């Protein structure tokens, strides 16, 4: 029997089909901007919800519940008739046939937007993840919350003083905004929310150590704000070790610089690596796996493929890599959607330019730093700006109201209502 002829690439739909992989800040922004466009949009994500990652640390420290910072993807884009949402993971991409594969299911595309985010990076020591979980997904946050709360419970039951000390020692690795916010929130949790909950131990005696390999914390902020952030953390009782790269992590603690720090709970906030998107499309990438993109965020040699957010190595006007933060991803998503629309109309637009509206980081109650370029703020004013900005950018009116009410309650009572150990030990 003669062999069947090659059927060739899948037939293209009547209208252009745009496939977006990832419903984080970048992917969701692109999808919303393409809502009701003259194209069919397919949005693929392994989760059925969009997560507001900047507040994930508050779930990890029992300040908020997961549902407060997440919203179902279908509810967000459901009003757009041209958007189809698929729950699943893309495993490979055929750039010649222009087909993405979700398992064995082919998804043909005319334009492809890869917004697959980043994962934890342990600098070649993936075995550390078992002892030092990172903070990227809801599952990470609830696991960290479980470890923190369980440490106090076990310290309450411990008879051995050395073991009790190890249980009440906490190490946060990484002095960027995530590590700083995490350390500050843990200090407030132990010194205020849990202060009167135990009989045998005093949670206020918990030792929280923030470890940073570089010379200062908050390295992306001006040096004056970095030093101010350090002072505010130290006022909360956080110990800070700078110039101390971590060389070992195990179930007993970490080695930072030339110091051994005994701790049963270690949290990783030191590094990230891009998703495997570069391998899917055979693109050039940097050591972190970020795809090197053109000024219009397309992949060299593939003008129909765009990479945005943490997955992309995009450069600013000075030739420096753009930071992996939510505003960058959101602006890139809007830009790519506008670019595709312009191409379909035969009206090309210029290269992507990031507008930096400022950097914010909170340290604790009434303590934050803000850098807007033309003005630098600290303390209460910066904290109020941080609070309003994060409530405003949350997805969904319900989430904004719930988070605002939780924060008002916590401000006046010093209590945190999500102090639940919901999972058994893994």
């Amino acid at each position: 029997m003669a062999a069947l002829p090659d059927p060739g690439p899948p037939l293209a739909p009547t209208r252009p089909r745009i496939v977006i992989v990832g419903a984080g800040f970048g992917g969701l922004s692109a999808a919303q901007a393409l809502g009701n466009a003259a194209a069919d949009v397919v949005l693929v994500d392994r989760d059925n919800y969009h997560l507001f990652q900047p507040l994930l640390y508050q779930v990890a420290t029992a300040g908020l519940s997961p549902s407060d910072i997440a919203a179902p993807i279908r509810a967000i884009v459901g009003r757009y008739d041209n958007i189809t949402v698929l729950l699943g993971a893309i495993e490979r991409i055929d750039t010649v046939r222009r087909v993405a594969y979700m398992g064995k299911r082919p998804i043909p595309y005319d334009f492809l937007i890869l917004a697959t985010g980043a994962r934890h990076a342990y600098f070649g020591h993936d075995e550390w993840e078992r002892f030092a979980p990172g903070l990227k997904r809801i599952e990470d946050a609830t696991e960290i919350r479980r470890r923190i709360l369980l440490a106090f419970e076990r310290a309450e039951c411990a008879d051995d003083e050395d073991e009790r000390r190890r249980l009440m020692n906490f190490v946060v690795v990484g002095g960027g905004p995530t590590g700083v916010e995490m350390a500050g929130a843990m200090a407030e949790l132990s010194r205020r929310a849990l202060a009167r909950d135990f009989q045998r131990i005093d949670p206020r005696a918990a030792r929280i150590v923030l470890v940073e390999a570089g010379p200062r914390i908050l390295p992306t902020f001006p040096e004056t704000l970095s030093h101010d952030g350090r002072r505010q953390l130290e006022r909360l009782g956080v110990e800070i070790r700078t110039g101390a790269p971590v060389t070992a992590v195990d179930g007993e603690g970490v080695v930072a610089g030339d110091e051994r720090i005994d701790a049963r709970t270690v949290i990783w906030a030191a590094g990230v690596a891009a998703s495997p998107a570069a391998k899917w499309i055979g693109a050039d990438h940097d050591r972190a796996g970020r795809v090197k993109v053109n000024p219009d965020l397309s992949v060299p040699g593939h003008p129909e493929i765009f990479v945005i957010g943490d997955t992309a190595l995009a450069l600013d006007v000075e030739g420096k890599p753009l930071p992996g933060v939510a505003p960058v991803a959101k602006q890139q998503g809007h830009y790519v959607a506008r670019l595709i629309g312009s191409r379909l109309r035969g009206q090309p637009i210029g290269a992507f330019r990031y507008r930096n509206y400022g950097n914010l980081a909170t340290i604790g109650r009434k303590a934050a730093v803000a850098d807007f370029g033309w003005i630098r703020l600290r303390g209460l004013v910066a904290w109020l700006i941080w609070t309003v900005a994060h409530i405003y950018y949350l997805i969904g009116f319900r989430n904004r109201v719930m988070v605002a009410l939780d924060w008002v309650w916590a401000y006046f009572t010093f209590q945190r209502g999500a102090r639940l150990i919901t999972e058994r030990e893994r």
Side-chain angles (χ1 to χ4, degrees):
M1 181 180 292
L4 294 175
D6 185 352
L11 294 176
T14 304
R15 300 199 302 175
R17 172 176 283 192
I18 304 168
V19 175
I20 303 172
V21 184
F25 288 109
L28 187 62
S29 294
Q32 290 176 309
L34 289 166
N36 296 327
D40 295 319
V41 179
V42 180
L43 180 57
V44 184
D45 198 282
R46 64 176 67 236
D47 297 313
N48 77 327
Y49 56 84
H50 167 76
L51 176 64
F52 192 78
Q53 280 192 347
L55 292 180
L56 200 55
Y57 81 95
Q58 293 219 355
V59 175
T61 53
L64 296 172
S65 296
S67 60
D68 293 335
I69 63 169
I73 298 169
R74 295 184 185 277
I76 299 171
V77 300
R79 67 182 183 273
Y80 302 116
D81 293 334
N82 67 321
I83 298 181
T84 299
V85 179
L86 298 179
L87 179 66
I90 296 299
E91 297 178 1
R92 65 187 181 94
I93 295 170
D94 187 335
T95 58
V96 176
R97 294 165 57 90
R98 296 192 179 183
V99 179
Y101 288 90
M102 190 176 74
K104 294 183 178 180
R105 176 175 180 172
I107 307 174
Y109 64 85
D110 294 295
F111 296 96
L112 177 65
I113 302 174
L114 297 176
T116 46
R119 51 191 169 81
H120 313 128
Y122 292 86
F123 311 116
H125 293 277
D126 291 343
E127 69 276 9
W128 292 354
E129 184 174 10
R130 173 186 171 190
F131 309 107
L135 191 59
K136 282 295 180 183
R137 305 182 65 193
I138 285 178
E139 293 85 353
D140 301 328
T142 54
E143 169 63 10
I144 290 172
R145 182 182 67 184
R146 185 191 69 83
R147 293 191 184 198
I148 292 172
L149 297 178
L150 197 57
F152 287 104
E153 296 291 344
R154 288 176 171 169
E156 175 80 351
C157 298
D159 294 322
D160 182 79
E161 287 298 325
D162 289 337
E163 177 62 10
R164 181 179 294 178
R165 175 179 55 80
R166 281 191 292 268
L167 285 165
M168 292 185 64
N169 285 352
F170 302 87
V171 176
V172 179
V173 181
T178 298
V180 166
E181 292 173 347
M182 190 72 199
M186 290 174 63
E188 292 194 325
L189 175 68
S190 62
R191 285 155 178 74
R192 289 170 177 163
L194 300 179
R196 300 181 180 179
D197 283 6
F198 297 88
Q199 285 74 44
R200 298 185 65 196
I201 63 170
D202 182 1
R204 292 171 296 186
R207 181 189 181 199
I208 299 164
V209 184
L210 177 63
V211 176
E212 165 59 35
R216 60 186 177 93
I217 63 171
L218 298 175
T220 59
F221 283 74
E223 192 167 350
T224 55
L225 291 183
S226 173
H227 291 325
D228 189 79
R230 177 170 187 144
R231 287 194 298 269
Q232 294 182 66
L233 273 179
E234 290 174 339
R235 279 199 294 267
L236 287 172
V238 177
E239 300 178 26
I240 300 174
R241 303 284 190 273
T242 53
V246 171
T247 56
V249 181
D250 55 40
E252 301 292 329
V254 304
V255 176
D258 56 0
E259 178 185 8
R260 172 78 188 187
I261 305 173
D262 293 332
R264 289 295 190 193
T265 306
V266 181
I267 298 163
W268 190 265
V272 295
S275 72
K279 296 180 181 179
W280 295 343
I281 58 177
D284 192 16
H285 56 86
D286 66 358
R287 294 179 61 185
R290 296 178 298 178
V291 177
K292 297 180 180 180
V293 296
N294 292 319
D296 66 353
L297 305 180
S298 65
V299 176
H302 292 281
E304 77 285 357
I305 301 178
F306 300 89
V307 184
I308 62 177
D310 291 342
T311 316
L313 177 62
L315 306 179
D316 62 16
V317 293
E318 298 178 356
K320 298 178 181 179
L322 292 174
V325 294
V328 171
K330 289 170 69 71
Q331 291 183 35
Q332 289 177 336
H334 281 288
Y335 168 82
V336 168
R338 188 161 58 92
L339 175 62
I340 292 174
S342 297
R343 281 192 187 177
L344 294 176
R345 295 188 299 269
Q347 301 171 348
I349 62 175
F352 172 74
R353 291 191 64 179
Y354 171 57
R355 290 177 172 82
N356 186 357
Y357 296 110
N359 293 323
L360 299 167
T362 183
I363 287 88
R365 180 186 176 90
K366 297 190 292 186
V369 291
D371 175 27
F372 297 108
W374 56 278
I375 189 172
R376 297 169 183 174
L377 303 172
R378 53 181 62 81
L380 176 61
V381 174
W383 180 75
L384 289 172
I385 294 173
W386 180 94
T387 301
V388 171
H390 281 69
I391 290 176
Y392 175 80
Y393 284 111
L394 272 169
I395 296 292
F397 178 75
R398 179 261 178 201
N399 284 2
R400 295 189 189 107
V401 172
M402 294 303 297
V403 169
L405 290 176
D406 277 343
W407 283 352
V408 169
W409 175 260
Y411 183 85
F412 288 105
T413 67
F414 297 97
Q415 294 300 309
R416 300 191 180 200
R419 302 200 309 267
L420 307 176
I421 302 174
T422 56
E423 299 177 3
R424 296 183 183 275
E425 188 170 7
R426 296 177 183 178

